Amino acid sequence: MTEARRATLRDIASALGLSVNTVSRALGDKDSVSARTRAAVQAEAARIGYVPNTLARSLVLGSAMTLGLVITNPSNPFYAQLISSIELRVRAQGYSLLLLVTDESAENEQRATEALLRSAVDGAVVVPVQAEWDHWRRVRDTGIPLVFVNRDVPELDCDMVGVDYERGSYEATSHLVAGGARRLLLLEEDLPITTTADRISGFRRAMTDAGLDVSDDLIRTVPTRRYDSLALPWQPEEAYRFAQTLFTDGHPDAIVTGNDYFALGLLRVLAERGLTVPDDVAITGYGDHPYAAYLQTPLTTVRLPAAEVGTTAVDLLLQRLKTTVERPRKTLIRPELVVRASTGGRPTLTNLQDQPSATLS
């Protein structure tokens, strides 16, 4: 049996009667090659199954042409959309993507940094666990640029792209106050991450600006099973069980939740207590999951710009590969409050047809 041989540029050149240099320039979309020649070269390359030798190209360019993406939880719908937008942007720029998953584990994150160093990636987009950062300092100090996404590591003074969570929570709370709510409650996730802290800050600021009480007992955190594995998704039953303890002494006018799953649990508890939404209690979510617009009472929620976060992070990283003079940037992208029936809004056809983002933390 004859051993299969990898197709080469020389094979294409020989078949078309061209020089290897011309074939290389045609496959590289160089302007000095005519459209007719480029089309012929591409057709022959496809016919013989030619695959570029990325290692050889890396040696020529002095670049691995690979970017790393370190993500905490790909089962999170926001991160799934983020991965997709980053991969599309990276591929369009001629790079490959090395995906590493940490499952919100500091130990796994350290392993991920070792993998980045072994792979000699050109740069990395990172959603940090936020437990430790010395291993990220080591990566940065080797000259690999980092762009943190969604969560910052201010000790390292690196580029960061995220969502303005504080603004989203502020707008959701202010919307409820404008609708007449005076007794508000915040239902948040009990996790030590900056996204949760930012949403709490937004709630506090909106309440203060409205001249309303913002005592600590108005901020309730749901102990979730994500403590067993922080990478697990949210579960509506966690908020459902917790919310059963909230309505022993009356009920608030409105409840702000840190994610749409918590809002699902609340809706069931309220229905079982004979309370209607939004007449008795108005509710807002966070994330705008696909089901939010299609509930019996469509959910007012904060839509997150997942695709914009991903493409902005890649563009910033690629720019950082070209220059190290400019100081690191912190970019926060504003989310969108989508008003629906759970706060008294009328669900419009536009709201129902819009493609939502998803919750991240």
Side-chain angles (χ1 to χ4, degrees):
M1 177 182 293
T2 303
E3 184 178 353
R5 186 178 67 84
R6 180 185 181 122
T8 66
L9 292 176
R10 192 173 300 279
D11 294 330
I12 302 173
S14 176
L16 298 176
L18 299 171
S19 70
V20 172
N21 184 46
T22 298
V23 171
S24 177
R25 285 187 285 113
L27 291 175
D29 284 333
K30 301 297 183 181
D31 294 336
S32 56
V33 179
S34 69
R36 181 177 179 181
T37 298
R38 182 179 295 109
V41 169
Q42 291 173 345
E44 180 63 16
R47 188 187 71 80
I48 67 174
Y50 170 75
V51 177
N53 187 327
T54 55
L55 177 59
R57 185 184 182 204
S58 297
L59 292 173
V60 171
L61 297 176
S63 165
M65 295 302 293
T66 300
L67 301 179
L69 173 57
V70 181
I71 207 86
T72 54
N73 178 14
S75 69
N76 182 319
F78 179 94
Y79 287 139
Q81 190 173 352
L82 186 76
I83 291 170
S84 178
S85 66
I86 288 175
E87 196 279 331
L88 286 172
R89 195 66 153 200
V90 165
R91 176 158 34 100
Q93 298 300 319
Y95 285 78
S96 298
L97 188 67
L98 174 64
L99 175 63
L100 300 164
V101 178
T102 65
D103 284 333
E104 295 280 10
S105 162
E107 183 178 356
N108 288 343
E109 188 174 71
Q110 290 187 28
R111 293 194 186 100
T113 60
E114 294 296 331
L116 291 176
L117 292 170
R118 287 195 306 271
S119 302
V121 297
D122 296 303
V125 175
V126 178
V127 179
V129 174
Q130 289 191 308
E132 303 172 16
W133 55 82
D134 282 346
H135 45 282
W136 289 122
R137 187 190 308 277
R138 180 186 172 201
V139 173
R140 184 205 62 182
D141 290 349
T142 64
I144 297 176
L146 302 173
V147 176
F148 292 114
V149 169
N150 191 41
R151 308 173 189 174
D152 198 7
V153 182
E155 294 83 359
L156 297 187
D157 196 26
C158 291
D159 293 307
M160 183 267 183
V161 178
V163 176
D164 193 343
Y165 281 100
E166 199 267 355
R167 180 63 179 258
S169 182
Y170 180 90
E171 292 188 359
T173 306
S174 298
H175 167 68
L176 291 169
V177 172
R182 293 298 177 266
R183 294 173 297 163
L184 284 81
L185 194 70
L186 173 64
L187 197 62
E188 257 298 346
E189 187 172 27
D190 187 14
L191 286 178
I193 52 180
T194 55
T195 49
T196 299
D198 289 344
R199 288 191 295 263
I200 292 174
S201 176
F203 175 79
R204 286 187 179 277
R205 184 165 69 89
M207 295 286 281
T208 299
D209 287 354
L212 299 175
D213 174 40
V214 66
S215 55
D216 289 343
D217 65 330
L218 298 180
I219 300 172
R220 308 293 180 88
T221 53
V222 178
T224 77
R225 69 188 181 94
R226 292 182 74 203
Y227 268 122
D228 299 327
S229 172
L230 299 186
L232 291 171
W234 293 282
Q235 295 296 316
E237 60 264 28
E238 293 163 345
Y240 169 75
R241 295 191 193 99
F242 187 80
Q244 289 175 325
T245 68
L246 296 178
F247 307 110
T248 55
D249 298 316
H251 60 81
D253 298 331
I255 301 176
V256 181
T257 68
N259 63 72
D260 290 349
Y261 289 108
F262 284 179
L264 283 182
L266 278 175
L267 288 170
R268 177 175 172 181
V269 171
L270 291 171
E272 291 175 353
R273 300 296 172 89
L275 299 171
T276 61
V277 176
D279 295 336
D280 295 316
V281 182
I283 293 179
T284 63
Y286 214 107
D288 200 19
H289 280 68
Y291 59 76
Y294 299 95
L295 298 171
Q296 185 171 359
T297 303
L299 182 65
T300 293
T301 185
V302 177
R303 178 178 297 165
L304 303 178
E308 187 177 357
V309 169
T311 55
T312 301
V314 172
D315 290 347
L316 184 54
L317 180 59
L318 293 176
Q319 181 177 348
R320 185 60 65 194
L321 290 174
K322 298 176 183 177
T323 176
T324 57
V325 177
E326 189 175 344
R327 288 188 57 79
R329 295 189 220 164
K330 311 293 182 183
T331 304
L332 292 181
I333 300 174
R334 182 174 177 174
E336 176 189 0
L337 179 66
V338 181
V339 177
R340 298 190 180 106
S342 69
T343 58
R346 181 173 298 175
T348 65
L349 184 62
T350 300
N351 283 344
L352 290 174
Q353 289 181 338
D354 282 346
Q355 292 298 316
S357 289
T359 306
L360 78 160
S361 78

